[in-house]
Amino acid sequence: MEKKQFQAESKRLLDIVINSIYTNKEIFLRELISNASDAIDKIYYKALSDSSITFNRADYFIKLIPNKENKTLTIIDTGIGMTEEELNENLGIIAKSGSLQFKKENDIQEDVDIIGQFGVGFYSAFLVAKKVTVITKAFGNDKAYKWESDGIDGYTIEETTKSDFGTEIILELKENDEDEKYEDYLEEYKLKGLVKKYSDFIRYPIKLDETKSKLKEGTENEYEEYTEEVTLNSMVPLWRKNKNELTEEDYKNFYAEKRFGFDEPLRHMHISVDGLISYNSILFIPSTVPFNYYTKDYKKGLELYSNGVLIMEKCEDLLPDYFGFVKGIVDSQDLSLNISRELLQHDRQLKQIAKNIKNKIKNELKSMIKNDRDNYDKFFNVFGKQIKYGMYEDFGANKDELKELAMFYSSKEQKLVTLDEYIERMPSDQKYIYYAAGESKERIEKMPQTEIVLDKGYEILYFTDDVDEFVIKVLMNYKEKEFKSVSSGDLGFEADNKEDEAVKEENKDLFVALKEALAGKVTDVKPSSRLKTSPVCLSSAGDLSIEMEKILSSMPDNNDIKSEKVLEINTNHEIFKSLKDSFENDKEKFGLFANILYNQALLIEGLSIEDPLSFTNNVCKLMK
């Protein structure tokens, strides 16, 4: 029998196909099952155009037969089979795709998805096999043929016998080595796992004779083994079913089966798109944060299928980082796959699908705000920080995309509110969106800077996440309303500002002396009408707030970043009378007052005192 050589650069190209294109050896089974599915699809298509052919879907299947004794794995299909010429064409020329040729010749559009398009999938068999034998009989032909190769020195073809049309691929597995236990591919659990992982939604049954045990007849505790043919795959993907046929329980079960999380999803989206780009998708919004979500180990992405065959377990390009918490799948027949079908070319189709998915998620979240607020509140308590990070990252590139989804705690409502809800409640004379930043709601409620804003009946948003102030710095305004910190130097109250200026002018020498006493610690000292009961507070004069200073100071390589602090003194407080008296009669005591008031202001802000010992000594001196 004459051995024929491969017709595409022979051993070198085959070596590239086997060792370079595929990075994961276990995908050989996915490739061979996909080819088998293609072979059955071809008969189905012929039946559509030839009334003499009857296609009964129940008669068609794919079967796996592991043989531990011979160390072989056989994949049988009841598909269209191949003639001798087709064996030479499809298996003799590496990277020759019979499926692609069939697709071109027959303009396929009906209920048929020809999966294989590159003609290298078959050769993935050599990832695990030292010898491959193909026994095939073409539909409508009398002769059967056997193709055989060790993947190195070409192949042989000879006539053989086979009762029915279809194809058998027999893999003689390699010997185990340090990197791979090839004999594992003969284990039932391994085959079942690989089919579930990669080929669960192939439309024809994938069968296996499974070993089971039962109680031996006439005994109480003696068992005997038997084999039973089982179907390993689900066949019909949930995402291709009609939404009206599915219940909420179906989606929850699917979420659990896919191991997207141990929680129950807050919301699901079932998307079916037909058009220039067609795809089906089921997306889930989880109810809890994955334990590693805010670590570098977390990997976002959706499962990506092409015609029901898993291509990527985590396709990161389908989700923007700010929606990285979304779980789910996407299945499309319009993707431009690369040669290995493991990776994806960054093409127009994928980008368009990603854009559509991003918009679907955003619209779903907006719908939850209006129609399912309890669940949106739960969602935002869990993933709100991620939405805010999305607004801030890339210099605010996505701020307009996400700003309607952001929520902050409200002093008036005592719960999370959107920016739209805040603006709707604003009195006509209110110019700004007021906010206060702090470590917690309880701490913010005690801030003396909030007193005058609340007295005027204005609502304050509480910023308790580290990222909050950075977000509004890039957002700048919302619906033409600027953000204003209650700790900013100018709150926009003109009458109060004039009053403060008058008091400062009246006590000009005192405030100049205070500023000199605190030189290098504050940029200015001034009277404050914002304070009602507290003696002092700090406000910030520049863009960097005191709270932002605390956050940046906690980071490595912060370069000792400081905000421009202004000490504000309540001139209606009793302490101011003591301050004036000491300024006029006891300069040493005045210096003590200045430093104590400054350190009190630091403590109110949650900042550390530079010299605690000096502070306590100064307090003791005043107590004498």
Side-chain angles (χ1 to χ4, degrees), residues 30-271:
R30 177 193 73 182
E31 295 296 300
L32 297 180
I33 288 174
S34 295
N35 287 349
S37 176
D38 283 351
I40 300 173
D41 278 341
K42 289 173 184 178
I43 294 184
Y44 171 69
Y45 185 74
K46 282 189 175 295
L48 293 176
S49 56
D50 187 344
S51 58
S52 66
I53 301 173
T54 301
F55 185 89
N56 182 2
R57 193 179 285 268
D59 295 334
Y60 295 88
F61 61 87
I62 300 161
K63 186 162 186 177
L64 310 179
I65 304 176
N67 186 319
K68 292 183 179 180
E69 187 176 341
N70 296 329
K71 292 187 177 179
T72 62
L73 175 62
T74 302
I75 298 96
I76 296 174
D77 71 65
T78 54
I80 200 165
M82 287 177 280
T83 63
E84 182 178 13
E85 181 183 2
E86 287 167 336
L87 277 173
N88 274 306
E89 290 258 327
N90 296 337
L91 304 189
I93 303 175
I94 300 174
K96 165 77 174 182
S97 173
S99 293
L100 184 59
Q101 186 67 25
F102 186 86
K103 195 171 186 179
K104 286 178 178 178
E105 289 175 357
N106 293 280
D107 188 27
I108 294 173
Q109 294 180 352
E110 295 285 342
D111 181 30
V112 155
D113 297 321
I114 301 298
I115 300 168
Q117 295 183 27
F118 298 101
V120 296
F122 168 78
Y123 296 96
S124 65
F126 289 105
L127 291 168
V128 299
K130 59 185 178 184
K131 180 180 176 183
V132 178
T133 302
V134 178
I135 298 172
T136 185
K137 183 178 181 181
F139 179 80
N141 284 48
D142 296 327
K143 292 183 178 179
Y145 296 92
K146 180 168 80 169
W147 180 100
E148 203 163 68
S149 174
D150 59 8
I152 300 174
D153 297 323
Y155 61 94
T156 60
I157 296 179
E158 61 178 310
E159 276 194 42
T160 188
T161 57
K162 191 177 188 308
S163 56
D164 300 316
F165 62 84
T167 300
E168 298 177 17
I169 299 176
I170 304 158
L171 310 180
E172 188 177 327
L173 298 185
K174 295 177 180 178
E175 299 299 326
N176 294 340
D177 57 32
E178 291 181 2
D179 299 322
E180 193 82 23
K181 285 185 67 178
Y182 295 99
E183 64 185 21
D184 284 350
Y185 295 113
L186 301 175
E187 298 291 343
E188 291 176 9
Y189 78 89
K190 183 74 170 180
L191 295 173
K192 288 165 71 177
L194 292 179
V195 169
K196 195 72 179 173
K197 180 177 181 180
Y198 292 109
S199 308
D200 195 34
F201 306 116
I202 291 291
R203 62 167 52 85
Y204 306 106
I206 302 169
K207 299 182 177 183
L208 175 73
D209 289 336
E210 186 177 8
T211 303
K212 298 184 176 183
S213 62
K214 63 180 179 181
L215 193 64
K216 196 170 184 180
E217 194 173 337
T219 67
E220 292 183 1
N221 55 10
E222 192 176 341
Y223 290 83
E224 60 183 354
E225 289 188 344
Y226 70 101
T227 58
E228 180 181 318
E229 188 177 71
V230 295
T231 297
L232 304 179
N233 57 324
S234 305
M235 289 183 280
V236 181
L238 189 76
W239 57 85
R240 288 188 180 174
K241 292 181 178 178
N242 192 313
K243 299 176 193 178
N244 298 328
E245 299 174 7
L246 300 170
T247 65
E248 189 67 30
E249 203 61 32
D250 291 326
Y251 291 108
K252 287 179 181 178
N253 289 339
F254 181 74
Y255 184 86
E257 287 168 9
K258 296 298 290 181
R259 295 183 176 87
F260 289 142
F262 295 105
D263 57 338
E264 283 195 0
L266 279 176
R267 194 86 160 186
H268 74 265
M269 292 157 269
H270 192 156
I271 305 165

Side-chain angles (χ1 to χ4, degrees), residues 299-315:
K299 188 176 180 183
K300 69 179 174 77
L302 302 175
E303 288 189 3
L304 181 62
Y305 292 78
S306 177
N307 301 319
V309 178
L310 182 66
I311 303 302
M312 295 179 72
E313 285 189 86
K314 295 274 189 182
C315 183

Side-chain angles (χ1 to χ4, degrees), residues 429-435 448-454 456 458 460 482-497 500 526 528-531 537 539-540 568:
D429 64 334
Q430 185 178 339
K431 297 178 182 178
Y432 303 103
I433 299 172
Y434 291 102
Y435 70 87
Q449 295 94 326
T450 64
E451 293 173 343
I452 189 171
V453 180
L454 294 174
K456 290 184 179 294
Y458 297 160
I460 299 175
E482 291 182 27
F483 291 90
K484 182 75 75 173
S485 170
V486 297
S487 298
S488 66
D490 180 10
L491 291 175
F493 305 147
E494 292 181 12
D496 295 305
N497 289 341
D500 288 342
K526 66 179 187 179
S528 176
S529 58
R530 82 174 80 211
L531 297 174
C537 74
S539 62
S540 49
E568 297 195 14

